[in-house]
Amino acid sequence: MTVETLLQNLPWKAVSVTDPGREITGGYAGDLLSWVMGRAESGDCWLTIMSNINVVAVAQLTDVACVVFTEGVMPDESVIAAAKQHDINLIACDEPTFAAGSKVAELLR
Amino acid sequence: MTAFAYDLHVHSCLSPCGDDDMTPCNIAGMAHLNGLEIVALTDHNASRNCPAFFRACETYGIVPVAGMELTTAEDIHLVCLFETLEQALAFEEALQPMRMQIKNRKGIYGEQRILNENDVCIGEEPFFLPAATMLDLETAAKRVAQYGGVCYPAHIDREANGLLAILGAFPPEPVFLCAELREAEHRELAEGRKILVCSDAHRLWELKEEGEPIELDAPKDDPAAVRKALIDALKRGRL
């Protein structure tokens, strides 16, 4: 499934999607960036409520396919600008992380 | 320059996790026994035991500093210190609407007691103090500066509520010139920032006993001048 397909299937907001064809191969949920750094895998759809700019750096480092901000969290302009610059896909939704993750998992089946 | 033995991160019985014995008078007395010369009282998101602490420190000739350990929206702990008691109390008041209104369950978390200079309980904080506030890291740093204070990340060598555990690395903004460590040997984590090694004491016996002093351009017998020199040095990252 690509990031574009994910967005076609779920009413989530494409905050900054510069690489819609990126393939999603798995998922990861977590907010402690020091943990995410060592655990999220390349191709993951990463769900988090953390919106600090370091999220972009961690997304780059782990090579996740996209970042989904859950629970209505919306990153600020500086985060969006950094994501565009580094080609990191950012998505936002209002759902709690568990519910959002379940939907991604369902689509990945 | 004058050398001062310091501990800039201490909790009183206003913090639910702080021991009941952490009264302003007991902290000042223990700090005196430990040879400390500058001590900051930094309860979770609160400064209301600082007035009593200032009085208690007078007795022992310790320079008191008013502050708090602020929990940001990201759950990062920041040590916030102010030059005057009034600044700290004004900052705390402004923080009130930014706090979560979760009732403190004494049986689980512990009491949150406000004491006077005789260690007599004059009030209790009803809402759980350590919970995350609505201030994100950048806004928090700006707000503290607006109130004349300085802040820096607490215990960056700790997993729980340490900036590095939560953000993985120092973010580009806000710029922190100082950082606090529990253990001096973790110095490399600060990446060249000025280091403050403090106890984060929640019990009397945890107060700092030894360690490198801090050098300030102020006479020992003038608490206001020492505080001014300290806050100024922390703001400039010149320690």
Side-chain angles (χ1 to χ4, degrees):
Chain A
M1 173 177 62
T2 64
V3 171
E4 192 172 23
T5 318
L6 178 84
L7 286 164
Q8 283 163 357
N9 282 280
L10 298 169
W12 294 354
K13 186 177 162 49
V15 178
S16 172
V17 176
T18 49
D19 186 8
R22 180 70 198 272
E23 194 70 22
I24 300 171
T25 51
Y28 187 82
D31 310 310
L32 275 186
L33 301 190
S34 58
W35 276 61
V36 180
M37 279 160 80
R39 288 166 175 83
E41 291 180 5
S42 176
D44 275 352
C45 170
W46 169 27
L47 300 106
T48 185
I49 55 164
M50 174 64 77
S51 59
N52 186 275
I53 194 152
N54 280 15
V55 162
V56 175
V58 172
Q60 262 186 289
L61 181 81
T62 53
D63 191 37
V64 294
C66 60
V67 182
V68 177
F69 297 105
T70 58
E71 310 254 12
V73 168
M74 190 56 82
D76 70 17
E77 283 307 318
S78 62
V79 176
I80 298 170
K84 284 194 197 308
Q85 192 188 340
H86 299 287
D87 237 1
I88 301 295
N89 294 320
L90 301 183
I91 295 166
C93 72
D94 289 330
E95 288 153 74
T97 305
F98 183 78
S102 312
K103 289 182 180 173
V104 175
E106 187 65 33
L107 288 169
L108 279 171
R109 252 190 228 170
Chain B
M1 297 294 257
T2 318
F4 292 87
Y6 70 94
D7 193 349
L8 303 179
H9 189 163
V10 176
H11 291 268
S12 77
C13 51
L14 177 52
S15 296
C17 38
D19 215 58
D20 285 351
D21 287 340
M22 288 299 260
T23 65
C25 292
N26 283 351
I27 295 169
M30 192 65 171
H32 177 67
L33 288 175
N34 285 8
L36 294 169
E37 294 164 297
I38 307 178
V39 179
L41 189 62
T42 53
D43 282 305
H44 290 292
N45 298 326
S47 302
R48 267 165 292 161
N49 267 347
C50 290
F53 182 63
F54 268 52
R55 293 280 185 83
C57 282
E58 268 176 39
T59 315
Y60 296 100
I62 292 168
V63 178
V65 181
M68 72 165 62
E69 182 176 30
L70 177 70
T71 313
T72 71
E74 302 92 343
D75 258 331
I76 295 166
H77 283 178
L78 289 181
V79 173
C80 307
L81 302 176
F82 297 87
E83 196 182 312
T84 68
L85 186 56
E86 292 70 28
Q87 287 172 344
L89 294 172
F91 179 78
E92 194 212 58
E93 201 174 325
L95 186 67
Q96 294 294 342
M98 312 297 284
R99 284 175 46 205
M100 268 191 249
Q101 309 272 293
I102 302 169
K103 263 223 165 290
N104 181 42
R105 295 171 65 185
K106 291 185 213 173
I108 298 173
Y109 304 118
E111 291 189 295
Q112 301 183 144
R113 296 157 68 224
I114 303 160
L115 306 187
N116 71 8
E117 68 265 33
N118 299 317
D119 282 355
V120 174
C121 188
I122 52 169
E124 272 188 72
E125 163 61 42
F127 296 109
F128 182 61
L129 281 166
T133 63
M134 290 173 212
L135 296 175
D136 63 47
L137 193 63
E138 261 189 89
T139 312
K142 278 187 199 141
R143 199 64 67 85
V144 172
Q146 277 168 10
Y147 280 81
V150 62
C151 67
Y152 50 86
H155 44 65
I156 60 166
D157 50 350
R158 222 185 73 178
E159 187 88 344
N161 306 103
L163 177 140
L164 293 178
I166 293 174
L167 293 185
F170 281 94
E173 295 286 337
V175 175
F176 289 115
L177 300 175
C178 305
E180 184 199 86
L181 290 174
R182 292 293 280 282
E183 308 284 346
E185 66 209 46
H186 298 143
R187 186 168 295 272
E188 78 290 347
L189 291 175
E191 295 176 347
R193 289 170 184 80
K194 297 296 176 194
I195 292 299
L196 296 139
V197 181
C198 298
S199 71
D200 191 6
H202 286 72
R203 281 158 280 271
L204 281 171
W205 60 87
E206 292 170 350
L207 274 163
K208 201 166 145 184
E209 285 181 77
E210 49 195 21
E212 291 269 307
I214 201 169
E215 301 263 345
L216 296 172
D217 190 11
K220 292 220 176 194
D221 57 358
D222 186 346
V226 173
R227 271 193 297 275
K228 186 174 185 340
L230 171 72
I231 301 299
D232 193 53
L234 292 170
K235 281 182 181 170
R236 291 161 186 262
R238 291 203 187 137
L239 293 170

